[in-house]
Amino acid sequence: MNKICLALLLTVAWSQAGHALDREQRHGKALLESMCARCHAVGSTGQSPLAEAPPFRTFGDKLYDTDFVQRLQDGLITIHPGMPTFRFDRPDAEAAVNYLKAIQQRKKPK
């Protein structure tokens, strides 16, 4: 019985640790909260303050574009006139993308 309880506790501990953000991801989250949270939901839950601004957890495949980090460095420009242009240095761009990848919603099976 003790072995079963220990195995269960270890399983729970490992699964919780798997959901914790690492240091770089926490830095990326802090950057996005300070720069983007006025309009976008930057966390894994919640609604965007601006209805037209998609929650960051819905970006999906955009984050796996090989030049997304570079676009953040060059200055992310969108077709939305009210959105300012943001420029990141390389470490900040990588931190932001790594955080965004960590919070993406899983697609529901069809």
Side-chain angles (χ1 to χ4, degrees):
M1 183 67 164
N2 287 340
K3 288 181 182 180
I4 294 172
C5 290
L6 179 60
L8 181 60
L9 287 173
L10 288 174
T11 302
V12 170
W14 283 330
S15 68
Q16 293 297 322
H19 294 289
L21 297 176
D22 67 25
R23 185 173 175 192
E24 181 185 48
Q25 291 166 337
R26 288 191 308 269
H27 175 65
K29 180 181 182 183
L31 287 170
L32 297 175
E33 285 175 340
S34 69
M35 297 167 55
C36 310
R38 186 183 87 203
C39 298
H40 293 273
V42 299
S44 57
T45 61
Q47 297 296 316
S48 294
L50 183 63
E52 299 81 31
F56 283 173
R57 67 183 172 277
T58 65
F59 280 13
D61 293 338
K62 293 177 191 176
L63 301 172
Y64 298 95
D65 180 352
T66 56
D67 67 345
F68 192 73
V69 169
Q70 185 63 49
R71 286 189 288 148
L72 289 177
Q73 288 178 258
D74 294 340
L76 187 61
I77 300 170
T78 69
I79 61 171
H80 306 290
M83 185 170 155
T85 299
F86 294 104
R87 284 189 172 76
F88 295 76
D89 63 20
R90 182 80 183 181
D92 287 350
E94 289 173 350
V97 170
N98 285 333
Y99 168 69
L100 290 170
K101 286 179 179 180
I103 65 165
Q104 292 308 293
Q105 289 178 336
R106 295 201 168 129
K107 293 185 180 181
K108 295 177 184 176
K110 293 181 179 182

